[in-house]
Amino acid sequence: GNSVTQMEGPVTLSEEAFLTINCTYTATGYPSLFWYVQYPGEGLQLLLKATKADDKGSNKGFEATYRKETTSFHLEKGSVQVSDSAVYFCALLVYGNNRLAFGKGNQVVVIP
Amino acid sequence: DVKVTQSSRYLVKRTGEKVFLECVQDMDHENMFWYRQDPGLGLRLIYFSYDVKMKEKGDIPEGYSVSREKKERFSLILESASTNQTSMYLCASSTGQGRSEQYFGPGTRLTVT
């Protein structure tokens, strides 16, 4: 089946630090990959996406590269801000299947 | 911009009440979804609809039903609310084309007492 695995546990880091959140996947077909962000008390917002191997999605200083050989889509940001504190979800969608498969999400807390 | 709206941000209901959660999207999307989100469990799909009057069960449909009479509106119904249905409910929509992303509403925090 289709599934997404995110690293365990919350991530706490200082302002201006480098952020990496790992995401690996298994898929029965050729997936599109997404990162969603959820700010406190809100719904999910699409942060970035990639639809084919070696594509790089980017938005608001965040980047993720679709790595087919390692089945990964790790999220990175070079210098985080307090306003980046949120929950981040990795997700995939396989063509012909309308259902998103989500990872469990990672709480990111950025300390001033 | 795609806009998905949900009828309430916060809702408090009593055990046994019938509860309606409404979701409206303004982008003529074919697909609409209802999820619930609980700490430690992530997002779980309750039901989705790929066309008017069409629906499919998700992973946790028990205790819920849905209605889609118009393309832009997708309702989640709790026939007899129970305390274990206290949760955050998220609606989403997407086009029916290929591998398109889902757009989410702001969520409804439902408390059943």
Side-chain angles (χ1 to χ4, degrees):
Chain A
N2 301 319
S3 66
V4 175
T5 302
Q6 290 182 235
M7 52 198 273
E8 293 285 332
V11 177
T12 303
L13 60 169
S14 299
E15 205 165 21
E16 299 183 2
F18 186 88
L19 170 68
T20 299
I21 305 176
N22 290 340
C23 170
T24 57
Y25 67 89
T26 59
T28 54
Y30 199 134
S32 290
L33 301 172
F34 307 90
W35 276 101
Y36 283 85
V37 59
Q38 185 178 32
Y39 298 104
E42 298 184 11
L44 276 68
Q45 301 175 24
L46 180 66
L47 181 59
L48 52 84
K49 68 177 183 180
T51 58
K52 61 183 187 296
D54 300 324
D55 265 2
K56 178 186 282 187
S58 61
N59 187 24
K60 300 182 181 180
F62 290 88
E63 293 183 341
T65 301
Y66 188 142
R67 300 284 188 203
K68 190 178 179 186
E69 64 277 9
T70 55
T71 61
S72 65
F73 192 54
H74 305 321
L75 183 69
E76 296 181 336
K77 186 174 185 183
S79 177
V80 293
Q81 306 301 312
V82 172
S83 58
D84 293 324
S85 298
V87 181
Y88 293 81
F89 293 91
C90 185
L92 71 82
L93 186 66
V94 173
Y95 186 84
N97 182 342
N98 290 316
R99 297 174 58 159
L100 273 174
F102 283 96
K104 289 287 176 66
N106 285 104
Q107 174 83 52
V108 171
V109 177
V110 180
I111 300 169
Chain B
D1 276 356
V2 177
K3 195 160 178 73
V4 180
T5 56
Q6 295 183 227
S7 50
S8 305
R9 292 298 301 271
Y10 300 93
L11 208 53
V12 179
K13 295 292 182 180
R14 293 195 178 276
T15 301
E17 279 193 82
K18 190 169 186 175
V19 181
F20 293 86
L21 303 182
E22 304 285 338
C23 175
V24 177
Q25 50 93 5
D26 67 357
M27 282 300 292
D28 202 36
H29 282 171
E30 287 79 12
N31 303 320
M32 296 188 75
F33 307 82
W34 276 106
Y35 296 88
R36 64 177 282 177
Q37 183 180 20
D38 301 287
L41 298 176
L43 281 89
R44 293 179 291 169
L45 182 65
I46 305 171
Y47 267 98
F48 69 100
S49 169
Y50 50 90
D51 202 349
V52 175
K53 297 191 187 295
M54 306 301 288
K55 62 184 179 185
E56 282 197 27
K57 293 180 180 179
D59 301 318
I60 51 163
E62 295 79 20
Y64 304 94
S65 62
V66 290
S67 172
R68 192 161 180 209
E69 296 296 319
K70 293 185 178 181
K71 191 175 185 180
E72 67 271 17
R73 188 179 298 269
F74 191 36
S75 302
L76 180 70
I77 303 154
L78 288 65
E79 295 289 343
S80 178
S82 63
T83 55
N84 63 13
Q85 293 178 309
T86 292
S87 186
M88 169 72 99
Y89 290 88
L90 294 166
C91 176
S93 72
S94 70
T95 72
Q97 300 162 10
R99 295 168 286 176
S100 63
E101 61 267 30
Q102 292 181 15
Y103 296 87
F104 283 79
T108 296
R109 173 76 64 186
L110 173 67
T111 302
V112 183
T113 61

